[in-house]
Amino acid sequence: MGFYESICKIINGTGVATSSHRITLISNCGAYIEGALKILDVNSKEVVIAVKEGKIVVSGKNLSLGSYSEKDATVLGEILKIEKR
């Protein structure tokens, strides 16, 4: 099984991601999150963002909210982990 097939199996078995949000990591300086509905918490170790399917939790060091607009957010700092809850 190739890399693409492995990722598709992890996502949902169909090869098509069915998510209302997208996360783009920007080198070692932050992340851009599309589909953000609301900022739930911001501190230097964690940023929690509501999305349609639940919450995106960004963990790291020296984190801050770079920007937030209708359905988009930028998290700045050293990101160590991103998870969906």
Side-chain angles (χ1 to χ4, degrees), residues 21 23 33 46-49 51 54-59 79-85:
H21 62 279
I23 302 169
I33 301 167
E46 190 173 85
V47 176
V48 183
I49 299 173
V51 294
K55 300 175 190 175
I56 299 296
V57 180
V58 181
S59 303
I79 295 175
L80 301 175
K81 180 170 69 169
I82 299 175
E83 63 183 324
K84 182 180 165 195
R85 292 185 187 161

Side-chain angles (χ1 to χ4, degrees), residues 20-71:
S20 66
H21 62 279
R22 181 181 314 181
I23 302 169
T24 305
L25 289 175
I26 305 166
S27 186
N28 62 350
C29 64
Y32 175 68
I33 301 167
E34 297 174 77
L37 299 177
K38 183 178 181 181
I39 305 301
L40 300 175
D41 188 29
V42 177
N43 63 62
S44 65
K45 294 182 181 179
E46 190 173 85
V47 176
V48 183
I49 299 173
V51 294
K52 188 174 182 179
E53 295 92 6
K55 300 175 190 175
I56 299 296
V57 180
V58 181
S59 303
K61 299 176 184 176
N62 302 315
L63 298 180
S64 65
L65 191 62
S67 66
Y68 175 69
S69 61
E70 186 177 339
K71 298 189 180 184

